[in-house]
Amino acid sequence: MGYNKSRIIKYFYALIFTLCFFMSSGGNTHAATLFMGPAERYTNLQSAMAAMNAGDTLIIRDGIYTGASNVITRYECPPSSSTTWTTIRAENPGAVVIDGQGIREPFTGLPPSLINRHWVFDGIEFRNSSGVVVTLVRSSHVKFIRCGFVDAAEGENDALYVGACSYVLTEDCYSYGNARYHFNFLASQYCIARRCVTRHDRGTHSMQVGFQAYESSDVDFQNCIVIDSDQAAFYNGASQLYAFKIPQVSGGNINFRGCIALNNAMGFCGIQAGSASFDSCVGWDISGYGVYSRSSGTVGMNHMTLGNISTYGTTGDGAVKRVSNSIVCQNTPIGLHNGGGTTISDYNILYNDTNYSGVSAGANDTQLATAPSLKYLTGFGNGSVVGNAGATVLFKIGKSGTLWGEAGYNIPSTTESLWPFPNEDIVRAKMRAYTGGGVNGARGFCANGQTLTKYIWEYLGHTIPDEIYNGGLVDSTSPAAPAGVTAIIQ
């Protein structure tokens, strides 16, 4: 039988097309799952990553991984892709640690130009760096889920440094120990920190901050918490201490939604540039300023709860500062202070040594003769006391896993309770065991008989409602104070 040239040519081109498609997809038309651990084929991170193709998943067995072969660098890293997500995750969240042992950086890389990564890191703790703990530079589409960033080197070193990046998500992550800045977004845009917890234990730099957006634009901080950062003796006389901060250069559109700063020897937020908005945020038991603005842009504060602050609830010489629908109480010596520019107040509830300085009382402000009897910092059960004023922090903000611009990325849920706080058992266990630099980690919400949720809910002295640990909240309406509740201690 003779050969059909036309058919042979068609088969040849079909083969070439198949090979090209195979190579362009990283040689991986079907995503594979790889395993890493002492008893696995891949015993270290770099050998496992070298075997991966875009779209693969690497599962790391529980353990502490050290040495030069267990760090991520510019050249030793997961494969990048413009469309396909590649995942490296812990077999059990929090049980995999990449430890720099103080002699190397667990995760660093400086590509010369922006790279579309499509990376997901899930459940891994990076710690004990010789410099910055995790350095992510000139990269887009990267997700850190349930990851920890712990103990940067002393000096000008961050726990998580995101520089010149876009579409980066940190979700249900945590940071504690030593750092200059714990979550630092520099010259980046379209980034989200969602439900992340920072406890600042110690630092040596003149500026020490929980969450920061520097020279960045379009950054959202959603349900982020800075808590029990009360170790002033270990901050080495830092001149600037803030839970949240926007430094001198900012592209604007920096948003804080449902965030909490509680029991901190640091100010709530310092703003030096750009526009910023705060919605349903809590600053309570703070040594330092509440919201301090020097920005030439507009800073909006809506539905805030700012109380027990050692200086001013709000202050600064920024151009425009708007405070509305907020509770500003028990701040010493002044609730709303203005050092320059304009501060506009309306629909606020105030009770302070002095309610206003350089600020005119709003037509709809209420000045109380006695302190408001707040039930919970989350706003639950406060309705009959303060009406619609103050923060309400009951439900998750932003659909889990979404990047900036994706459907639901910044929309408050009406059905997903924020409490119990996600990942709180792992976060507490990690922070409770910390003793770096002589710091006592078993304090605050990490003390005996506490959880993160219980600690925040009971901070004002009222027992946590039963439904928080038994099914969660079911709607966004604050019900009447429940009767006959008992404490839940775990």
Side-chain angles (χ1 to χ4, degrees), residues 2 10 27 32 75 135 143 152 265-266 287 321 332 366 376 396 427:
K10 288 181 180 178
Y75 299 106
T135 301
K143 299 180 182 182
M266 51 193 349
S287 299
K321 304 169 287 293
T332 305
T366 299
Y376 301 110
K396 293 179 180 179
V427 172

Side-chain angles (χ1 to χ4, degrees), residues 284 305-306 326-331 335 347-356 361-362 364-374 382-387 389-390:
W284 197 272
T305 298
L306 298 171
S326 296
I327 300 170
V328 184
C329 66
Q330 298 165 250
N331 301 309
Y347 294 96
N348 298 310
I349 306 287
L350 300 103
Y351 172 80
N352 306 279
D353 283 1
T354 301
N355 285 329
Y356 307 97
N364 301 287
D365 282 356
T366 299
Q367 300 184 59
L368 301 176
T370 58
S373 180
L374 302 181
N382 291 338
S384 61
V385 179
V386 295

Side-chain angles (χ1 to χ4, degrees), residues 179-490:
R180 176 183 62 164
Y181 311 134
H182 287 269
F183 290 79
N184 185 22
F185 297 90
L186 173 66
S188 297
Q189 64 180 156
Y190 309 128
C191 295
I192 300 172
R194 180 181 293 135
R195 301 190 302 265
C196 296
V197 180
T198 288
R199 190 186 71 184
H200 182 55
D201 290 309
R202 56 193 183 97
T204 56
H205 196 266
S206 60
M207 292 174 282
Q208 298 172 37
V209 177
F211 295 86
Q212 176 167 276
Y214 186 6
E215 201 177 340
S216 295
S217 64
D218 306 300
V219 177
D220 253 35
F221 297 95
Q222 302 171 359
N223 295 138
C224 290
I225 297 174
V226 181
I227 193 166
D228 293 335
S229 301
D230 57 353
Q231 302 295 287
F234 294 90
Y235 300 161
N236 291 288
S239 59
Q240 292 192 37
L241 286 157
Y242 286 103
F244 305 94
K245 189 182 178 187
I246 305 173
Q248 296 94 331
V249 182
S250 170
N253 195 27
I254 312 299
N255 306 297
F256 301 86
R257 311 176 195 269
C259 295
I260 297 173
L262 179 62
N263 188 33
N264 298 320
M266 51 193 349
F268 177 77
C269 187
I271 307 159
Q272 295 174 297
S275 61
S277 70
F278 297 81
D279 188 63
S280 275
C281 293
V282 177
W284 197 272
D285 263 3
I286 289 171
S287 299
Y289 297 122
V291 179
Y292 174 80
S293 174
R294 305 203 67 187
S295 173
S296 59
T298 297
V299 175
M301 293 162 269
N302 190 35
H303 286 288
M304 304 287 284
T305 298
L306 298 171
N308 276 19
I309 297 172
S310 67
T311 55
Y312 310 119
T314 69
T315 188
D317 57 5
V320 179
K321 304 169 287 293
R322 297 181 182 273
V323 187
S324 57
N325 301 301
S326 296
I327 300 170
V328 184
C329 66
Q330 298 165 250
N331 301 309
T332 305
I334 298 167
L336 301 180
H337 176 267
N338 190 58
T342 302
T343 296
I344 302 168
S345 173
D346 211 3
Y347 294 96
N348 298 310
I349 306 287
L350 300 103
Y351 172 80
N352 306 279
D353 283 1
T354 301
N355 285 329
Y356 307 97
S357 177
V359 181
S360 297
N364 301 287
D365 282 356
T366 299
Q367 300 184 59
L368 301 176
T370 58
S373 180
L374 302 181
K375 196 169 184 64
Y376 301 110
L377 291 175
T378 60
F380 186 91
N382 291 338
S384 61
V385 179
V386 295
N388 191 43
T392 300
V393 190
L394 298 176
F395 294 86
K396 293 179 180 179
I397 297 173
K399 182 180 178 181
S400 295
T402 54
L403 297 172
W404 184 286
E406 294 180 341
Y409 83 97
N410 65 351
I411 304 301
S413 174
T414 58
T415 57
E416 272 194 288
S417 177
L418 179 64
W419 313 99
F421 199 83
N423 211 31
E424 68 170 23
D425 291 345
I426 292 173
V427 172
R428 179 180 181 274
K430 296 278 189 179
M431 293 188 184
R432 179 177 168 83
Y434 184 72
T435 57
V439 172
N440 173 25
R443 67 183 195 275
F445 83 92
C446 295
N448 292 340
Q450 289 290 352
T451 69
L452 178 61
T453 295
K454 181 178 184 294
Y455 181 75
I456 292 172
W457 276 79
E458 295 190 345
Y459 201 83
L460 299 182
H462 299 279
T463 304
I464 187 171
D466 274 339
E467 53 264 50
I468 299 305
Y469 276 114
N470 294 297
L473 301 169
V474 294
D475 59 49
S476 58
T477 303
S478 297
V485 294
T486 55
I488 298 171
I489 302 176
Q490 296 182 349

Side-chain angles (χ1 to χ4, degrees), residues 77-100:
C77 59
S80 298
S81 168
S82 60
T83 57
T84 305
W85 290 97
T86 299
T87 300
I88 297 181
R89 68 175 177 86
E91 182 179 27
N92 294 293
V96 170
V97 176
I98 306 298
D99 192 332

